[in-house]
Amino acid sequence: MNVFTEFRRAIMAAVQRLSEQGVLAGELPLSAITVEPPRDPSHGDLATNVAMVLGKPAKMAPRALAEQIKPLLEAHEAVEAVEIAGPGFINLRLNTAYWQRQVGVILKAGTAYGDSDLGAGEPVNVEYVSANPTGPMHVGHCRGAVFGDALAALLAKAGYQVAREYYINDAGAQVDVLARSTHLRYREALGETIEIPEGLYPGDYLKPVGEALAKKYGDKFKTAPEQEWLQLFRQEATDAMMAVIREDLAALNIHHEIFTSEKALHDSGAVQHAFDRLKQRGLIYTGVLEPPKGKVPDDYEPRPQELFKASEFGDDTDRPLKKSDGSWTYFGADIAYHDDKYRRGFKKMIDVWGADHGGYVKRMKAAVKAISNGEADLDVKLVQMVNLLDGGQPVKMSKRAGTFVTLRDVVDEVGKDVVRFIMLTRKNDAQLDFDFKKVTEQSKDNPVFYVQYAHARICSVLRNAAGEVPQIDTGDGALAQADMSLLNHPSELALIKLLANWPRLVESAAEAHEPHRVAFYLQDVAAAFHGLWNVGRDDTSVRFLLPDDLNLTRARLAMLRAVALVIASGLSVMGVTPVEEMR
């Protein structure tokens, strides 16, 4: 149950009642009506802008309309008070019994509490990671991987039909470099002493690939001219690197359902077909672009090119799809790729990119508008850098990778749960410091520990209950029957209200495509729980286990179990396993 959705329905019923009475008439902007927590909690539990939104079409002062709405809301059995604020905002204060009932609602739903039908099964494609298959993934890829995977899980919880996709960039010149680097390692495996020239990949990660190829092909290609082995080694090396990437992602418990090859798009003619369709619609012309101000991009050529009318769809300038030699630009292939997504039924697309691709966003959004005739929408989420530290000092690069710290290095050091949680503790477009020392310390300053400790503490209380109050059945079904009216302490009620905000947070975070909100929310829940725990240390009447008052103990155990379920529900969105004991 979403408290805010429930009361929006009550408000809409009041609007309907006033329409039947002739107070409201005509077209009303009902979609603009919101119900949310007031900025100042002292103003009540819920705030709505209904009178502000409908005042003008009703030809009434918002405050006067609010006075008409007020008695209709006061009639609701859960409403304790209705107050009109400022020019016409309406604040609702709900009675204690309503909030107490939410504990049972959570227990009956379990970790499905917060599930929503907001998305109504709409297909949405989330493409993330998509690292070039030229080596193992680094810590920057790690952040994008976690962000994309958590966003996909969040959208699924909000009721969307989510497809997780990886785009394999296996058609560019970098794959030729990979093939040549692999050939060197192949020759090395055959006993040759090699030197890796500048421009090739020096990392040790290609040694096993070279050894496997030496075992498979012997010395067949050791001295063969490049044209005899280049395409074969491209494919072999790409396949080997994608296997490594899949293993690295699996270490983070990330699994894509769809892998799309850029090379396959070229080979199938999909790039040409997308180009032809745009040309038939008059969106391609031959022209010469003015040189851009500042840094000149790689695809700029001061000569006639085939240009896409990107500026007609919100971009700053038109963009080349073909180079002067007739080959496709990267943008040409990217248009075909997003056209392929659209033709697979995705009108809602989300791409997760590194922040260094920020200049590419407008042209890609323009392309999606063009290929779909405005039916599809693309949201690009840029993920900023990760500063890897250890006790405040920069971490040295990985010997295996040669130039960077790998994703696997980080996961092997601290575990996938810590990595996933910390990667979501900042908004995606803000830089993030990942300090090995801080993320493993057991203190309230470490958010992953703080949240996990709350869950583990609750599990400990429930285990202790079996010995101290064995008369109480701690199963969810039995606890849901507890007398929740006994939960009257202000800290208890504040915690319950926070738990009841989880369904709304799921929907708002899903609509904003911001999974970091889940991490922030769980830290708030953990803080509220730990605060209540500390109150009980000073005031024995607020402790959770009271053998002399079994009814109150049962109600408090029900509340604790509800906290644990909400924490577990949030952690599942983040891809983090809740712990039952801290080591």
Side-chain angles (χ1 to χ4, degrees):
M1 179 191 295
N2 186 327
V3 171
F4 299 88
T5 300
E6 178 184 350
F7 279 90
R8 189 178 188 279
R9 284 198 295 266
I11 289 164
M12 298 304 289
V15 170
Q16 177 65 28
R17 181 83 175 271
L18 292 178
S19 297
E20 292 169 355
Q21 295 173 358
V23 176
L24 298 173
E27 288 291 324
L28 300 175
L30 301 179
S31 63
I33 297 172
T34 61
V35 180
E36 55 194 10
R39 292 183 180 178
D40 185 346
S42 68
H43 292 166
D45 298 314
L46 310 174
T48 178
N49 64 352
V50 57
M52 303 292 291
V53 169
L54 301 185
K56 186 174 181 180
K59 298 180 180 178
M60 295 177 66
R63 195 172 179 92
L65 178 56
E67 291 288 355
Q68 298 262 17
I69 296 172
K70 180 179 177 182
L72 299 177
L73 297 179
E74 287 174 330
H76 194 290
E77 56 92 17
V79 173
E80 183 176 276
V82 180
E83 299 169 357
I84 300 171
F89 290 103
I90 299 175
N91 294 325
L92 304 179
R93 198 177 303 276
L94 307 184
N95 58 43
T96 299
Y98 177 83
W99 292 115
Q100 292 164 336
R101 286 197 298 272
Q102 302 312 305
V103 174
V105 171
I106 296 169
L107 290 175
K108 289 174 184 175
T111 54
Y113 183 66
D115 287 6
S116 169
D117 59 2
L118 174 73
E122 180 184 2
V124 56
N125 182 287
V126 185
E127 182 220 322
Y128 56 107
V129 188
S130 298
N132 286 341
T134 54
M137 289 184 297
H138 56 65
V139 70
H141 295 132
C142 178
R143 188 178 184 189
V146 171
F147 173 85
D149 204 55
L151 176 55
L154 177 62
L155 290 166
K157 191 168 183 69
Y160 291 91
Q161 182 184 330
V162 181
R164 295 165 167 86
E165 184 152 350
Y166 188 117
Y167 183 46
I168 306 172
N169 300 110
D170 54 356
Q174 80 278 357
V175 188
D176 287 338
V177 175
L178 174 66
R180 295 181 182 113
S181 304
T182 301
H183 189 258
L184 276 179
R185 294 299 189 180
Y186 160 75
R187 286 160 48 193
E188 181 182 42
L190 292 170
E192 185 176 335
T193 300
I194 65 165
E195 287 189 14
I196 301 175
E198 187 174 347
L200 297 189
Y201 300 125
D204 290 347
Y205 59 86
L206 286 177
K207 284 187 175 181
V209 183
E211 290 166 359
L213 291 175
K215 186 175 181 180
K216 183 175 182 178
Y217 296 109
D219 63 359
K220 179 178 179 181
F221 301 110
K222 183 177 181 181
T223 59
E226 183 177 283
Q227 62 267 25
E228 290 186 16
W229 53 259
L230 184 64
Q231 291 303 316
L232 174 64
F233 273 55
R234 276 175 59 106
Q235 191 61 54
E236 293 274 11
T238 299
D239 290 347
M241 286 301 97
M242 285 306 303
V244 170
I245 287 170
R246 282 186 172 94
E247 286 179 10
D248 288 350
L249 290 173
L252 272 173
N253 198 25
I254 292 175
H255 306 276
H256 294 79
E257 293 108 8
I258 304 168
F259 288 83
T260 298
S261 160
E262 179 187 0
K263 183 176 183 296
L265 288 175
H266 283 280
D267 293 346
S268 69
V271 182
Q272 183 66 53
H273 292 155
F275 176 87
D276 292 342
R277 284 193 295 274
L278 290 175
K279 193 162 190 175
Q280 288 167 7
R281 291 172 50 203
L283 298 177
I284 305 290
Y285 68 98
T286 302
V288 179
L289 289 175
E290 291 291 323
K293 296 178 181 178
K295 185 179 179 181
V296 178
D298 295 337
D299 59 2
Y300 173 73
E301 295 184 31
R303 60 185 73 181
Q305 291 178 279
E306 299 279 10
L307 303 176
F308 162 56
K309 294 180 179 179
S311 58
E312 291 188 9
F313 300 90
D315 197 3
D316 299 325
T317 186
D318 293 341
R319 302 290 180 178
L321 299 188
K322 279 188 176 182
K323 302 175 185 177
S324 56
D325 63 2
S327 63
W328 299 106
T329 63
Y330 286 117
F331 185 44
D334 286 342
I335 289 179
Y337 174 43
H338 286 78
D339 182 47
D340 179 64
K341 289 184 188 180
Y342 173 64
R343 291 178 175 277
R344 283 186 268 135
F346 295 107
K347 294 181 181 179
K348 196 176 189 72
M349 310 175 198
I350 302 170
D351 288 0
V352 180
W353 298 348
D356 56 333
H357 290 79
Y360 209 73
V361 174
K362 278 188 176 181
R363 73 184 72 179
M364 205 63 250
K365 290 174 76 74
V368 169
K369 280 184 185 177
I371 61 178
S372 68
N373 286 310
E375 285 189 353
D377 175 68
L378 171 67
D379 184 21
V380 178
K381 308 302 288 186
L382 299 176
V383 178
Q384 270 289 357
M385 290 175 55
V386 176
N387 300 312
L388 209 57
L389 309 169
D390 193 356
Q393 298 300 311
V395 174
K396 295 179 180 179
M397 62 187 172
S398 164
K399 293 180 180 178
R400 175 172 172 265
T403 55
F404 52 81
V405 178
T406 67
L407 176 156
R408 198 59 178 268
D409 291 334
V410 180
V411 175
D412 289 347
E413 181 72 20
V414 300
K416 68 102 176 167
D417 285 339
V418 170
V419 173
R420 291 190 67 125
F421 197 108
I422 296 298
M423 290 294 170
L424 293 168
T425 53
R426 295 291 302 275
K427 195 171 184 292
N428 57 284
D429 58 2
Q431 287 198 21
L432 183 147
D433 289 343
F434 188 104
D435 192 312
F436 282 106
K437 184 176 181 180
K438 288 185 177 180
V439 303
T440 53
E441 68 184 19
Q442 295 192 348
S443 78
K444 67 178 183 179
D445 296 326
N446 175 5
V448 62
F449 169 78
Y450 199 53
V451 172
Q452 291 280 34
Y453 188 34
H455 190 273
R457 261 184 163 178
I458 292 169
C459 293
S460 175
V461 173
L462 292 169
R463 285 193 300 270
N464 291 338
E468 295 189 35
V469 284
Q471 309 94 315
I472 295 178
D473 183 347
T474 55
D476 289 353
L479 290 177
Q481 303 305 313
D483 183 359
M484 307 303 178
S485 67
L486 299 174
L487 299 170
N488 286 311
H489 192 278
S491 294
E492 292 174 337
L493 292 172
L495 177 55
I496 293 168
K497 289 179 181 181
L498 185 56
L499 299 180
N501 195 44
W502 173 233
R504 177 180 178 273
L505 185 126
V506 168
E507 292 189 351
S508 61
E511 287 184 305
H513 299 167
E514 293 185 345
H516 73 276
R517 295 190 190 187
V518 177
F520 288 9
Y521 170 77
L522 291 181
Q523 291 174 72
D524 289 342
V525 171
F529 164 75
H530 290 306
L532 180 57
W533 179 287
N534 292 333
V535 170
R537 294 170 72 177
D538 299 327
D539 182 352
T540 57
S541 69
V542 188
R543 291 182 179 174
F544 304 129
L545 300 180
L546 300 171
D548 294 334
D549 193 337
L550 295 182
N551 287 332
L552 180 54
T553 296
R554 186 179 290 108
R556 285 181 174 164
L557 290 176
M559 177 188 65
L560 292 189
R561 179 60 180 153
V563 176
L565 287 169
V566 170
I567 289 176
S569 180
L571 289 177
S572 70
V573 170
M574 299 174 71
V576 176
T577 304
V579 300
E580 298 189 1
E581 291 183 90
M582 300 301 291
R583 296 178 180 178

